[in-house]
Amino acid sequence: MIDAALNAIAIVADPFRLGILLSGVLLGLLIGVIPGLSGVAGLAILIPFTYTLDQYSAFALLIGMAAVTSVSDVIPAILFGVPGTVGAAATVIDGHALARSGQAGRALGAGYSAALIGALFGALVLAVAIPVVRPLVLYLGTPELLAFCIFGLSMVAILSGKAPLKGLAAACIGLLIAMVGTGSQLGTSRWTFDTLYLWEEVPLVPLTLGLFALPEIADLAIARTAIAKEGGGASFSSRAQWEGVRDVFRNWWLVLRSSTIGVALGAVPGLGASSIDWIVYGHAVATERNGRFGQGDIRGVMAPESANSAKDGGQLIPTIAFGVPGGAATAVLLSAFLMHGLVPGPDMLTKNLDVTYSIMWSLALANVAGLLICLPLSGFVARLSAVPAGRIVPIVVGVVIIAAVQATQDWGDLYSLMLFGIVGWVMKANGWPRPPLMLGFVLGALFERYLFISITLYGGEWIFRPVVIAILALTAIAIFRPLRAILWGTYRSLRRAHLEAFTPHHGMIFNLLVIALTVYAIRTSSPWPWEDKLLPQVAAYAGLVFAGLNLFTEAFSRREDDEGGLDIDGAGAVAAIPGAIVWTRAARFFGWVVGTILAALAIGVLPAAFLGVLFQSRFEFRQTWRFSLVSSLSLAAIAWLIVNYIFMVRWPQASLGDWLPALRASIHLF
Amino acid sequence: MGFEMTRRGAKLALAALLAISASVGARAQSVEDFYKGKSIDVVIAFSAGGGYDLYGRLLARHMGKHIPGNPTLVPQNMPGAGTLKATKYLYSVAPKDGTVFGVFSRTMPLAPVVGLAGADFDARKFTWLGSMAKEVTLCVVSDRSPVDSWEDALKTEFKLGGEGKGADPDIFANVIKTVFDAKDQLVTGYPGTADMYLAIERGELDGMCGLSYSSLLGRWGKQLQDGSLKIILQGGLQPHPELKDVPNMVDLAQDARKKQILKLILAPQAMARPFAAPPGVPEDRAKALRDAFEATLKDPEFLAEAKKLNVEIELMSADDIQGLLSDLYDTPKDLAEEASKDAGL
C-alpha cells in the first residue's frame, strides 16, 4: 500500500503532469473567487480536454481545479460578504465581520491555512481509508444517513444564538422552502405555482446569494464607509495574514475536529458543502469557550474553511469505492472516471490503486499550490476592504446579479435573489438568525427522502440500529445545553409575560408575516396526500408555534438586561446609524437592485448590469463619470468574456432579443 | 441633461441595431451561407455528467464538420422539471431558424399521450433529427435476494428501489406489479441509481428496474459477470441481441390490450437519445441537419471516440421517429389512461 502511494507520487511529480495540475489550480482559484461559478461548471468544461490525456494527468487537471475552489472562495466571502461558492457561506458571518474591523488580512491568512490543513487531512484520511472503507460504508444504511441529517438539523439549536425561538421558526421556514417542488414520494406539485422554475427545487445559489450577500452589501451601502471602518486599526501590511496563520496553529485542536467532521460528513452521500460548513460552524460555536462568534471571531473562519476543504477527501471516498458521488462535483467527476475506463468499486482499490493514490496526491498538491498562490496576494487583496463603499457597492451588486443567474439561466433566479435578498436583510435587521433557515433548506429535502425510505424499509425500528443510536446520542449531547437554555429561557419569558407589559414595535410586522406564511402553508398543503404533506405540515405547524411563542414573549414579556447568548447574526455595520436613515438607504439600495433586475427583463442581464453599475455609481454614490464608466465597462467585459466565451453559457432571454432575434443570434447577450 | 444625452444615445443605438438586423434577415441564403461563421446551440436537458450529456457533447464535437458552412456546435445544459423545461424551450421559445436543436428525455415525446401535467406540446411537430441509440430497459436483482428469476418475482415478495414519481425505476417497478402481478414493493426516494446500487449491496433493497443495458454494463459490468447482479427481465419493442435468454415484457403480456399498453410504455426505449430541432425549421436547413446527424453517426472518427467512451451508437432515423410517434399519438384515450395508471404516473 505504501509502495503504491510512493509510486503514485512519482507519477504525479512528472513535470508535465505538475504543469497540468497547476493550470487546473489556476482555473479553480479563478472559479472560486467568482461568485456563481462552481467546481461543477469548471469540471464540465474541462472534461473534454482530458480525452487526450492519460488517466493520471486527466485527474491531476480535474482534481487540481475542483480542489482549490474551496481555497479562493473565502476571498469574496471575507471582503464583501459574498460567498464565492456555497461552501463559504458560513465563513461570511465572522470573516466579513473581521474585515469590517480591519482584519481582512488576518481572516484571509486563517482561511487559507485552515483550508490547507483541512485538505491535507482529507487527503490523508482518503489514503488511509481507501483499503478498509468498503465494509465501513456498507454499514451506513439509509437510517444512518437519516441520523446524520438529524444531527445536522440539530445544529439549528446552536446556530440560533440568543434568539432561539426566531431561529427555530427560521429553520422551519427553511424546511418549507426545501419542500417546494415535486414531492419525493407521490410527486405532488408543492408550491410550484404552475412554474417550471420551481418544479424540482428552489436553486441553492440565488438563495444563498440573496440571504447572505445582498444584506451585507446593503449594509455597506447604508453605512457608506469603507468595509473596514476608518479608525478601526486596519492593518494591510503583509504581516497580517501571518497572524491568521498563527491563529490556525494556536487553534489546531479546533481545526482538527472541524476537519474530521468535514471528512466524515463529506463521505455521507447527499451532505454537501452547503450544509457541512454550517454544521461545523455550529460545532465551533457550541464547543469553543469565550467565543465572539458573529462579531468577528477568527475561529468562525477557520472551522468552516477547514471542514469545507476536508470534505473533498471525504466525498471522494464513496465516489471511488462505490461510484456513489458524495456531492455535485463528484457526480461530474464520476462521469470522468467512466470516460477514462475506470469503474469505481473494488478495482480502484486493487488494479487501479495507483490512480486512486495519484488522485490523493493531486488533491494534496493542488491545495499546497493554492495556498502558495493565495497567501502572498492576500495583503494586496485585503487592501480592497479600505476602498470606500461608493466604489465597491455598485460593482458587487452587478457581480451578484450576474452570478445568481448562472444557477439555471432562468429569470426565476433573479426573482429568488431579489426575494431572499429582501427577506435576508429584514431578518438581519430584526435579529432573526439566517443560518438556521439555510440549514433547514439544505437538509430538508434529503431528510424527507431518507425518512420515508427508512420507514418503508424498517418501520419504526430504524431508530434502534446501533449506528443510528450512536449518532443520535451524539446529537443529544451536542444540543443538550443549548436546548435546555432554549426551554428554560422560553419558560422564563412566558412566566414574566404580563398583559400590561404589552409593547408593540415594528419588528413584529416581520414576525406576523412569518406566522401568516406558516398559516398559508398549512392551509394550502392540507389537500395533498399524506406522504407528500407530512413534512411540510410538521414544519409549518412547528414554525407557527415557534413564531407565535416568539411574538407573544416579545410583546408581553418585560425585557431583562442579563439575557446572555451570542448574537450570531447581528445587525453589524449599521448599528450606529439612526433608524430612519437606515430604512431610506435600504429602500434606495433595493430600489437599485430591483430596477436593475427589471431592466434586465427588457434589455438582458449583462446590459442591465452594466447600466445598473454605471448609474448607481454615478448618481447614487456620486463617483466621477470616468470611474463609473471604467468600473461598469470592466465588469461587463469580464463577465461577457467568461460567460459567453469560456463557459459558453447563454443568458436568459430578454424582450429586446424577442424583438430583434437576428441580433440575439449574433451576439448572444439577451 | 445627462438623462437627455443617454436617451438620444439610446435612440441612435436602437436605430443602428434595427438596421443591422434588417439587413441580416433580408436576402435569401444557401444553407452553407447561413451556417458559415454561426454557432448552433445543442440544448441538453440534463445537468453535466450524465448519459444524455455524454451523448449530446459527443455529437456536438463531431457534427459541425458535416453541416454545410461548418458551424460551431455549443452544448448548453438546461436541466429542470424532468426535462420538460428544455423540451418546452425547444418547442416554443427557441429560434426556429436552425441554430438550435437539442436532446431531452426519451419519455418526453410520449408525455402528452400519457397525460403528463404540463406537457402541452405535440411532439410530432418537432423537426426531428433522429436518435443516437436504442435501449432496452432492465430489471436486476442481487444474488442475495430471495428472487433469482422472473418466475420467482411472480411468487416471492421483494423490494425494488425508486427515485420518485415518473422516474424510469419507478415506472417499471410499477408496471411489473400492475401488469404482471409481480410481488415487488417499491421503495422510492433514492437520490439516484448509484445510491440504489449501494442499498442493494448492503442488503436494503433486492434490486432495481428501469436501467438501460449500456449504463448497466458501464457501471456494473463486473457485478454482472461475477453473478452478484442478475438481469431477470428486459423491456423493449425488440429484445436486446445480447440478452436472448432474458424474458421480454412485450412477449409476456397475456392479452392484446396489455401488449398495447406495454408497447406504449416501452416505445421510448427505441428512441433512447432523441434529438430534435424546434418545429418549423426551414426545410433546406432541416434536411442539412438531418443529413449531418446521420453522417456523424457513421463517421469513423466519431465512432472511435464513442467506443473509447463506452457509448453505444445505433441510429433511429427522423422518419422512423415520425412514424412511431404518429402511430402512438393515435392511441385510444382509455388505453393511454390505463397505461399511465399502470406506470404510476
Side-chain angles (χ1 to χ4, degrees), chain A residues 51 134 140-142 185-186 199-200 322-324 335 338-339 343 408 410 449 453 457-458 648 650 653, chain B residues 17 41 49 54 61 76 81-82 84-85 93 117 163 165 185 188-190 194 198 201-202 204 219 308:
Chain A
Y51 290 148
R134 283 184 60 86
L140 298 180
T142 307
Q185 291 296 304
L186 293 180
W199 189 294
E200 269 155 18
F322 292 95
V324 177
S335 68
L338 298 170
M339 276 176 216
V343 180
T408 66
D410 194 299
R449 281 174 177 265
I453 294 174
L457 287 170
Y458 304 97
M648 297 207 271
R650 300 293 181 235
Q653 300 193 320
Chain B
L17 294 183
D41 282 2
L54 191 57
R61 275 195 299 281
Q76 297 286 327
L84 200 53
K85 179 177 170 182
V93 181
E163 295 170 15
K165 190 177 126 170
Q185 182 198 3
T188 194
Y190 285 93
L198 192 56
E201 194 164 342
R202 69 188 171 225
E204 235 174 68
R219 290 297 298 281
K308 192 167 166 239

Side-chain angles (χ1 to χ4, degrees), chain B residues 156-341:
Chain B
T156 317
E157 292 192 351
F158 66 115
K159 293 182 177 119
L160 294 174
E163 295 170 15
K165 190 177 126 170
D168 269 9
D170 297 70
I171 289 179
F172 290 103
N174 284 325
V175 164
I176 61 169
K177 196 182 172 93
T178 49
V179 177
F180 301 109
D181 291 320
K183 298 279 180 285
D184 62 308
Q185 182 198 3
L186 172 63
V187 182
T188 194
Y190 285 93
T193 46
D195 304 81
M196 273 185 244
Y197 171 70
L198 192 56
I200 291 171
E201 194 164 342
R202 69 188 171 225
E204 235 174 68
L205 296 173
D206 294 308
M208 49 185 169
C209 283
L211 286 158
S212 65
Y213 187 53
S214 58
S215 59
L216 189 69
L217 274 186
R219 290 297 298 281
W220 297 294
K222 197 180 156 81
Q223 283 81 351
L224 280 180
Q225 252 175 21
D226 68 21
S228 59
L229 280 183
K230 187 177 176 192
I231 303 172
I232 57 166
L233 184 67
Q234 63 177 318
L237 297 182
Q238 276 93 39
H240 195 283
E242 287 173 35
L243 299 171
K244 293 222 168 62
D245 304 332
V246 179
N248 187 358
M249 291 184 201
V250 179
D251 305 330
L252 292 170
Q254 304 91 336
D255 57 79
R257 189 173 173 82
K258 288 292 176 200
K259 228 180 196 76
Q260 285 277 175
I261 285 174
L262 282 171
K263 275 191 176 154
L264 184 61
I265 295 172
L266 291 171
Q269 304 300 326
M271 41 173 161
R273 312 289 174 180
F275 285 77
V281 171
E283 191 39 49
D284 52 343
R285 288 174 212 162
K287 184 175 182 307
L289 288 176
R290 270 195 288 265
D291 292 348
F293 185 85
E294 294 189 12
T296 310
L297 263 58
K298 289 181 196 131
D299 179 348
E301 216 177 303
F302 164 87
L303 290 170
E305 195 179 332
K307 197 171 157 65
K308 192 167 166 239
L309 297 175
N310 282 319
V311 164
E312 281 188 30
I313 300 295
E314 192 178 350
L315 170 75
M316 180 172 187
S317 72
D319 286 345
D320 290 348
I321 292 182
Q322 289 285 14
L324 183 62
L325 285 181
S326 62
D327 277 357
L328 293 169
Y329 269 65
D330 289 338
T331 308
K333 209 166 169 44
D334 59 317
L335 199 86
E337 271 167 17
E338 195 177 332
S340 154
K341 221 169 93 194

Side-chain angles (χ1 to χ4, degrees), chain A residues 177-195:
Chain A
I177 299 170
M179 296 296 107
V180 170
T182 307
S184 72
Q185 291 296 304
L186 293 180
T188 310
S189 290
R190 301 192 291 206
W191 300 310
T192 55
F193 305 103
D194 290 326
T195 60

Side-chain angles (χ1 to χ4, degrees), chain A residues 334-468:
Chain A
L334 187 66
S335 68
F337 275 96
L338 298 170
M339 276 176 216
H340 284 272
L342 297 168
V343 180
D347 278 359
M348 295 300 291
L349 317 176
T350 50
K351 204 171 77 191
N352 298 320
L353 193 62
D354 53 344
V355 180
T356 304
Y357 278 116
S358 80
I359 287 172
M360 188 270 290
W361 285 115
S362 300
L363 188 63
L365 287 176
N367 274 281
V368 173
L371 178 89
L372 291 179
I373 294 168
C374 283
L375 205 54
L377 291 175
S378 58
F380 168 74
V381 169
R383 241 169 267 266
L384 284 176
S385 67
V387 177
R391 300 201 153 196
I392 291 282
V393 169
I395 301 173
V396 182
V397 170
V399 170
V400 167
I401 288 176
I402 292 169
V405 90
Q406 302 311 317
T408 66
Q409 282 88 38
D410 194 299
W411 292 116
D413 292 334
L414 289 185
Y415 301 142
S416 307
L417 175 76
M418 197 158 72
L419 175 72
F420 290 111
I422 294 171
V423 169
W425 189 81
V426 174
M427 284 178 80
K428 197 177 175 207
N430 286 307
W432 284 70
R434 294 164 292 169
L437 190 157
M438 193 69 197
L439 207 54
F441 171 68
V442 293
L443 290 175
L446 205 60
F447 175 75
E448 188 188 38
R449 281 174 177 265
Y450 289 157
L451 179 72
F452 275 98
I453 294 174
S454 298
I455 291 176
T456 320
L457 287 170
Y458 304 97
E461 281 167 35
W462 69 269
I463 211 161
F464 298 116
R465 292 159 64 96
V467 182
V468 173

Side-chain angles (χ1 to χ4, degrees), chain A residues 74 77-78 87-97 111 277-278 281 300-302 304-305:
Chain A
V74 300
I78 287 174
T91 312
V92 168
I93 300 286
D94 280 295
H96 188 56
D277 62 336
W278 289 111
Y281 184 77
V301 174
M302 58 184 77
E305 278 311 311

